[in-house]
């Protein structure tokens, strides 16, 4: 590859192709193809990153499965099982409101190093270790349309990725590449929900799915804000979740209303949904808030509108991130206010193994993917 601009590391000099995982369509693990693809060339206002580490998220799996289709009504895990049983089943509307751009490279999380900038770009970025903000607001932060790296355009399941220069944030931290790669999607989603819900010190918050990537991030970030945190987790994970700072941990199978009482909670953060949704609203005080950015236990829920309006509740859906969110996260890392949670690292070529382990839900934290060094297989 011969770029138009010499502002680059020798690292990519002469490289024409790179290793990447290409998702070729909706379906099972057979759609994840590890192969050679062209090294991307940064265009105007873009930079090229060497991917140092990425990680696995529900978003990556949901996009591959076509779970965002209105025709899918089951939990992510059930949809994955169905795909394995019938890999060829079509999902015509499986994108985020638009067709998914197959074939493409997924990977929403990226810890990387800037190795090239486009002509006219800021050469001072070269060599910096950065995190990429994956939620991009193309019309600015006054509009809610957004694009996601690894869902709407090529992401970080590769040796290199090109991204808008505006979306890279240098990080001054002694964390490892793998630890930094746990942050963007999970912690950005968590911080955005708490920011949008205006969680304040002293408020009572319930966190569903607290052992997962987003849930464990919510526990830490809510405690950082001075909230009183009740976390919900499987029995085998309760001790670990408690160690993250939760004030109380309730077993997932317990009767939440009996344990916590009706009208006792200021905010519910719920990326689980499914059958427990109605009880979550019962927990909320009059004027309480419910915030969600996912529905891993099932997207269709039963809502008694009387509960909503008689209790003057606010329901918040969160996908597009507000402007302060990612810069705040980087500051929290640099001040040592967050704890990274790496469950296990895998080579990029082992992505199917990592996603299977992710769906087993026996872990706490994030599964990290490490691409090979440039020029290696």
């Amino acid at each position: 590859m011969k770029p138009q601009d010499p502002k680059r590391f020798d690292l990519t000099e002469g490289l024409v192709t790179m290793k990447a995982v290409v998702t070729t369509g909706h379906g099972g693990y057979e759609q994840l193809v590890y192969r050679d693809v062209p090294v991307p060339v940064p265009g105007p206002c873009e930079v090229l990153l060497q991917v140092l580490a990425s990680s696995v998220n529900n978003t990556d799996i949901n996009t591959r499965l076509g779970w965002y289709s209105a025709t899918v009504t089951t939990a992510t895990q059930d949809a994955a099982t169905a795909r394995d049983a019938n890999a060829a089943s079509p999902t015509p509307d499986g994108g985020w409101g638009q067709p998914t751009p197959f074939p493409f490279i997924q990977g929403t999380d990226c810890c990387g190093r800037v190795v090239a900038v486009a002509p006219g770009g800021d050469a001072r970025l070269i060599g910096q270790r950065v995190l990429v903000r994956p939620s991009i607001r193309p019309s600015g932060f006054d509009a809610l349309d957004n694009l996601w790296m690894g869902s709407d355009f090529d992401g970080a399941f590769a040796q290199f990725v090109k991204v808008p220069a505006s979306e890279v944030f240098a990080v001054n931290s002694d964390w490892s590449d793998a630890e930094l790669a746990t942050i963007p999607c999970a912690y950005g989603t968590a911080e955005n929900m708490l920011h949008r819900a205006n969680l304040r010190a002293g408020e009572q918050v319930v966190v569903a799915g607290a052992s997962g990537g987003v849930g464990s991030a919510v526990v830490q970030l809510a405690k950082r804000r001075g909230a009183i945190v009740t976390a919900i987790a499987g029995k085998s994970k309760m001790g670990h979740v408690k160690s993250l700072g939760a004030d109380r941990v309730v077993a997932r199978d317990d009767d939440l209303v009996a344990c916590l009482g009706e009208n006792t909670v200021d905010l519910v953060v719920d990326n689980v949904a499914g059958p427990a949704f109605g009880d979550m609203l019962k927990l909320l005080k009059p004027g309480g808030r419910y915030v969600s950015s996912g529905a891993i236990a099932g997207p269709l829920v039963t809502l008694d509108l009387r509960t909503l309006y008689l209790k003057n509740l606010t329901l918040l859906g969160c996908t597009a991130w507000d402007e302060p969110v990612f810069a705040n996260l980087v500051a929290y890392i640099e001040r040592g206010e967050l704890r990274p949670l790496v469950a296990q690292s895998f080579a990029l070529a082992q992505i199917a193994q990592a996603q299977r382990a992710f769906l087993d839900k026996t872990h706490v934290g994030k599964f990290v993917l490490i691409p090979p060094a440039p020029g290696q297989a």
Side-chain angles (χ1 to χ4, degrees), residues 12 26 63-64 78 97 150 179 261 283 330 333 363 370 372-373:
T12 57
H26 291 307
T63 298
R64 170 174 58 79
D78 295 335
E179 288 172 329
L283 297 178
V330 171
I333 293 169
H363 65 289
I370 307 296

Side-chain angles (χ1 to χ4, degrees), residues 74 78 83 120 134 136 141 144 147 189 200 240 245 266 283 289 303 316 356:
T74 58
D78 295 335
R83 278 295 187 189
I136 297 171
F141 289 94
L144 285 175
L147 298 173
T189 297
R200 299 178 291 273
H240 198 115
D266 298 289
L283 297 178
R289 294 100 72 203
L303 169 62
L316 293 166
R356 285 189 180 96

Side-chain angles (χ1 to χ4, degrees), residues 66-143:
W67 184 86
Y68 295 104
S69 167
T71 64
V72 178
T73 60
T74 58
T76 297
Q77 199 161 13
D78 295 335
T81 301
R83 278 295 187 189
D84 283 343
N86 185 14
S89 59
T91 306
D93 61 339
W96 301 51
Q98 57 188 2
T100 307
F102 298 119
F104 78 119
I105 299 168
Q106 293 185 279
T108 302
D109 285 328
C110 181
C111 170
R113 191 174 303 281
V114 180
V115 295
V117 298
D122 185 355
R124 293 172 298 180
L125 291 172
I126 293 179
Q128 293 191 22
R129 190 170 66 149
V130 300
L131 289 176
V132 179
R133 175 170 55 192
S135 174
I136 297 171
R137 306 289 288 277
S139 302
F141 289 94
D142 291 331

Side-chain angles (χ1 to χ4, degrees), residues 264-308:
T264 59
V265 173
D266 298 289
L267 174 67
V268 167
V269 182
D270 181 15
N271 274 18
V272 177
F277 174 81
D279 283 347
M280 294 295 184
L281 299 193
K282 290 179 182 178
L283 297 178
L284 287 170
K285 299 174 182 176
R289 294 100 72 203
Y290 173 100
V291 62
S292 177
S293 63
I296 63 171
L300 301 188
V301 299
T302 300
L303 169 62
D304 186 335
L305 279 171
R306 292 166 297 187
T307 304
L308 174 66

Side-chain angles (χ1 to χ4, degrees), residues 194 197-208 218-219 221-223 225-232 245-250 256 259-270 280-291 313:
L194 298 181
N198 192 27
L199 179 64
R200 299 178 291 273
E203 288 195 307
Q204 297 276 352
V205 57
V206 164
V207 182
V218 172
V219 171
L221 290 165
K223 286 304 297 180
R225 289 171 178 253
I228 302 165
V229 177
T230 297
I232 302 169
D247 297 282
R248 180 178 181 180
V249 184
V250 177
L256 297 178
C259 289
L260 304 179
E262 291 193 36
N263 303 323
T264 59
V265 173
D266 298 289
L267 174 67
V268 167
V269 182
D270 181 15
M280 294 295 184
L281 299 193
K282 290 179 182 178
L283 297 178
L284 287 170
K285 299 174 182 176
R289 294 100 72 203
Y290 173 100
V291 62
L313 302 180

